[in-house]
Amino acid sequence: MTAELVRGQNHPLDRTRVEIRVTAGSPVMAGVTLGDEQGRLTGAEAVAHPGAPRRTGIEVPRQAAAEHRIAVDLDALPGAVHRVSVLLALPGGIGALTTFGPAAAPSVTVTGLDGTGIARYTVSGLGAESAVVAVELYRKQGAWKVRAVGQGYADGLTAMLRDQGLPQAAELAAEIEEAIGRGQARAVPAPAPVAASRSERPGAGPAAADRPSPVHAPASDGPAPSGTGAEAGAEATDASPAPVGGGPVDYRHPKRRSAPAPAAPALTASAPSSAGSPASPDGPPLPVAGDAAGWSMEERLYNQVWGMFEDLARSVAAYRSASDFAESRLEQELDQALSDPRNRLGTAADAARATARDKHAALVAQARAALDRDLAQLAAESAVVEPALPPALARWDNPVWQGYHAPLERPMALRLGDLHLPEVLDLRIPMLVRLPLERGLWIDSGPDTYAGSADPDRDIARRELGSALTDGPPDEAELRRLAMETAVAIAARLLAIHPAGDFAVQVIDPGGSAAPALAPLLESGALPAAPVPGAKGVATVLEALTRRVELVQMAVRHRAADALPPDLDTAEQLLIVHDFPHGFDDRALTRLRYLADEGPAVGVHLMMVADRAQTRDYGPVLDPLWRSLLRITPVPDAHLADPWVGHAWTYEPPLAPRGSQVVRQVLDRVAAARRAS
């Protein structure tokens, strides 16, 4: 299954001979640069382009075209090469386009020599740029990975090559343009547009999809960090390479527009064009829902939420930095004023201290005013975005659920909860994860999840959550109940946002203690029968899912999907494991780890509802399992850290409001849609 990447995300390569396929909406030049560990180029010989298409281990096309194939042999590259960057640029004089903005978003797919997809990245959000570093293959600790970069340059090839440290960037850019102009690179027109589903349109990809999600969960090289940022971006990723050679850094969000975009080609009804926000006569532009790049309203809303997450992170980071500077300056001025023993007493010392404190207060007030201005704009944007979100991205109290009907296709993302920072408790950013899920979930039901009521941020968030919480810190029994209710709420959402019959839920509950929380699934028929208790129930479910994973893997490997047994349920499966490790022996534990590792690639997803402390008897054996899962909590908890600025975000679970029957109503409609299909 091809991994759908978002900007900044990486994915391991399981082979060293690959093919990079480029698809664009207009003729583009495709090239490759070979950089060192810092991404710098040694000279013009480190660039493969239409005028010099062959370098050691690399061959690029000789022509500008709407589709390209680049051959890469990583084993053949010189030892000094650590980064292989794929460049796309609009050639001058071919066609009318001078920027990527009006064209369909380019898509880059890394495949094996047999065409098997490894990773795909759609470079969305481009505007005035005429050149872009789309992806890079990089070597880390002896292994190769692919990373989605998406770094655009409005000044074209020259700026892009100079940014990679090439002194003769202008000369080489002119040489490339001259090669194209001489006819050495013959332009091939873009293919004629054809009717396509959302998932096939440029800029979408299958499910248009693990972006830190805002707190999209991005892939990480090491243990699962404290979380995902709104895919669900608060998960740690390898740091994106900083521009080298002194080029300016563009801090604007790549998928948001600060001004009306250039005219785009006519779109279908499902992908309306998006102009910039209407201007307000008294201040900044008025926010509108969908004010971001994308080929469908769903994609635009998703990108807009990501922009809100990054805007909030950036604004709070600036405020905290300014406050720290004010504190440091206050200490310095006080030390300086009191350094002379003769000035430590009397009116002079008092005046110096008062002056230093006044300066400190002025700096903090100035920083807070800037933060409040940004927060007011974000709050206004959130007020118009939240009501416009589709069911997959909406809270349970959103009116969109009252008119719910089963969708015809899978959405691009799932709302896994909300995120906020202590500076502004009333502004919630949706935590989104891309679909299909690429890693399992762990809902931590341990008592360490909630450290007490000393944290006012957590207390306020907990009171505003609106879920069935009793007064005071929850005890262990209440945490276990809330954890299972959170699991059921997420399972219900997954069932609701997939087409009827395309998603199923199975439960392992050896002790039978999850029955009250499972009632909505059982009563609606979404869960066909109550879980079989004891070790027998554990073994039966794990054996069936292991068999499914193995059969689907063989079918995919040999391209024999029609050979699958007729009794095999090909719907995606969510396995909820409750009361772990009760009822698990060594064989069951091995199968569980197998499902966690191999299941997501073939549509089997794991959700653990467990207290890690109860598995200490296993020692480090289970550490890889916990690290492979994204940890969330049944109560608000500040445990998610984004890799961008390092904020600790408070996560709130996606529970329905207290007393609401919305989850049961939605599950009833899901069951009705299944019966009708």
Side-chain angles (χ1 to χ4, degrees):
M1 180 180 294
T2 305
E4 297 291 338
L5 304 183
V6 293
R7 190 181 187 194
Q9 186 179 354
N10 60 69
H11 187 78
L13 295 177
D14 58 359
R15 62 201 75 186
T16 56
R17 298 186 65 188
V18 297
E19 188 174 74
I20 299 175
R21 303 183 180 186
V22 177
T23 302
S26 63
V28 297
M29 184 281 298
V32 168
T33 60
L34 306 176
D36 59 16
E37 289 182 291
Q38 286 73 42
R40 299 183 66 85
L41 307 180
T42 58
E45 67 279 0
V47 183
H49 56 84
R54 291 185 178 180
R55 302 297 185 192
T56 303
I58 301 291
E59 183 172 1
V60 302
R62 297 175 177 269
Q63 60 188 17
E67 295 184 357
H68 291 290
R69 294 191 178 189
I70 301 172
V72 179
D73 185 352
L74 298 174
D75 286 337
L77 295 176
V81 174
H82 287 263
R83 292 186 184 177
V84 178
S85 301
V86 177
L87 320 177
L88 304 179
L90 293 172
I94 297 182
L97 292 182
T98 58
T99 66
F100 281 104
S107 177
V108 180
T109 305
V110 180
T111 72
L113 298 183
D114 58 354
T116 302
I118 300 174
R120 180 187 296 112
Y121 173 48
T122 300
V123 193
S124 58
L126 296 177
E129 298 87 347
S130 59
V132 62
V133 179
V135 301
E136 69 174 8
L137 312 183
Y138 67 100
R139 185 178 2 219
K140 183 172 183 179
Q141 296 178 349
W144 285 93
K145 297 184 178 183
V146 57
R147 174 162 45 211
V149 179
Q151 177 64 56
Y153 296 83
D155 294 332
L157 267 175
T158 301
M160 180 166 55
L161 294 172
R162 185 181 297 117
D163 206 24
Q164 297 190 31
L166 188 65
Q168 61 272 35
E171 293 81 354
L172 181 57
E175 178 183 338
I176 295 174
E177 292 290 349
E178 182 182 357
I180 297 175
R182 288 198 310 263
Q184 293 181 2
R186 176 176 54 87
V188 177
V194 296
S197 65
R198 179 199 57 75
S199 62
E200 294 170 339
R201 292 188 189 120
D210 191 79
R211 253 185 230 222
S213 298
V215 148
H216 18 173
S220 67
D221 285 325
S226 23
T228 70
E231 114 176 307
E235 275 188 66
T237 60
D238 290 337
S240 297
V244 294
V249 179
D250 186 358
Y251 289 100
R252 294 173 299 174
H253 190 278
K255 296 187 178 180
R256 308 189 76 199
R257 295 177 178 145
S258 57
L267 302 177
T268 63
S270 63
S273 62
S274 171
S277 304
S280 168
D282 300 323
L286 297 176
V288 296
D291 186 18
W295 289 95
S296 68
M297 191 60 175
E298 179 190 26
E299 184 180 5
R300 292 179 178 186
L301 288 169
Y302 173 86
N303 291 335
Q304 187 171 14
V305 170
W306 258 105
M308 292 167 59
F309 169 79
E310 294 194 356
D311 287 347
L312 179 57
R314 183 186 300 111
S315 297
V316 171
Y319 169 73
R320 292 179 179 178
S321 177
S323 298
D324 291 343
F325 170 76
E327 291 290 342
S328 175
R329 179 171 175 175
L330 174 62
E331 293 179 2
Q332 292 177 1
E333 292 185 350
L334 289 177
D335 290 343
Q336 183 178 2
L338 301 178
S339 60
D340 189 347
R342 294 171 297 180
N343 297 331
R344 292 177 184 173
L345 299 175
T347 57
D350 293 339
R353 282 191 285 264
T355 300
R357 293 190 178 98
D358 289 343
K359 289 181 180 178
H360 170 267
L363 287 174
V364 173
Q366 183 179 359
R368 185 70 208 195
L371 176 64
D372 290 342
R373 180 196 62 225
D374 294 343
L375 294 181
Q377 182 70 10
L378 284 171
E381 187 173 11
S382 177
V384 299
V385 169
E386 279 286 356
L389 293 176
L393 311 183
R395 294 169 59 101
W396 283 114
D397 57 1
N398 192 311
V400 71
W401 288 108
Q402 304 304 319
Y404 165 81
H405 61 274
L408 298 179
E409 58 183 6
R410 180 179 60 197
M412 65 182 297
L414 163 76
R415 186 171 190 156
L416 205 57
D418 291 333
L419 299 168
H420 73 268
L421 292 171
E423 282 79 2
V424 51
L425 296 177
D426 57 347
L427 178 59
R428 305 294 197 267
I429 303 296
M431 175 176 171
L432 309 180
V433 295
R434 299 297 288 262
L435 294 178
L437 297 172
E438 292 193 358
R439 62 186 302 187
L441 302 175
W442 165 31
I443 304 176
D444 191 351
S445 61
D448 292 340
T449 300
Y450 189 88
S453 58
D455 186 352
D457 175 23
R458 181 182 297 162
D459 288 343
I460 295 174
R462 184 172 176 269
R463 288 196 299 269
E464 293 181 354
L465 183 58
S467 59
L469 294 177
T470 59
D471 294 333
D475 57 22
E476 185 174 353
E478 185 181 4
L479 280 174
R480 290 168 60 87
R481 176 181 62 82
L482 290 173
M484 197 59 199
E485 288 183 0
T486 302
V488 171
I490 295 174
R493 184 181 291 265
L494 284 167
L495 287 166
I497 65 178
H498 283 79
D502 282 7
F503 201 90
V505 174
Q506 299 194 46
V507 178
I508 290 178
D509 182 27
S513 57
L518 294 174
L521 295 174
L522 289 168
E523 294 171 2
S524 66
L527 188 63
V532 177
K536 180 179 179 181
V538 173
T540 301
V541 174
L542 292 179
E543 182 179 358
L545 289 178
T546 301
R547 173 177 176 267
R548 182 195 182 280
V549 170
E550 292 172 345
L551 289 175
V552 174
Q553 282 181 334
M554 287 190 291
V556 171
R557 189 179 304 117
H558 299 287
R559 301 182 182 181
D562 54 346
L564 289 171
D567 62 335
L568 187 72
D569 186 1
T570 57
E572 290 194 56
Q573 305 285 325
L574 174 67
L575 173 61
I576 302 176
V577 179
H578 183 249
D579 208 15
F580 180 78
H582 178 63
F584 279 75
D585 55 19
D586 290 344
R587 182 178 179 83
L589 184 60
T590 301
R591 284 178 169 171
L592 186 68
R593 290 183 56 183
Y594 173 78
L595 293 178
D597 294 338
E598 304 294 335
V602 290
V604 176
H605 312 286
L606 180 62
M607 182 188 294
M608 301 282 291
V609 183
D611 176 7
R612 186 173 182 177
Q614 295 182 358
T615 64
R616 287 175 180 167
D617 292 343
Y618 287 92
V621 174
L622 289 178
D623 287 349
L625 174 63
W626 300 120
R627 287 198 297 265
S628 70
L629 305 175
L630 169 62
R631 176 180 175 262
I632 58 178
T633 56
V635 293
D637 187 71
H639 71 280
L640 297 181
D642 67 70
W644 189 28
V645 292
H647 292 325
W649 294 79
T650 296
Y651 167 80
E652 298 179 13
L655 294 174
R658 182 181 304 178
S660 173
Q661 298 297 314
V662 62
V663 175
R664 291 177 180 265
Q665 294 170 1
V666 168
L667 287 174
D668 288 340
R669 296 180 186 179
V670 170
R674 284 186 174 185
R675 291 191 295 268
S677 62

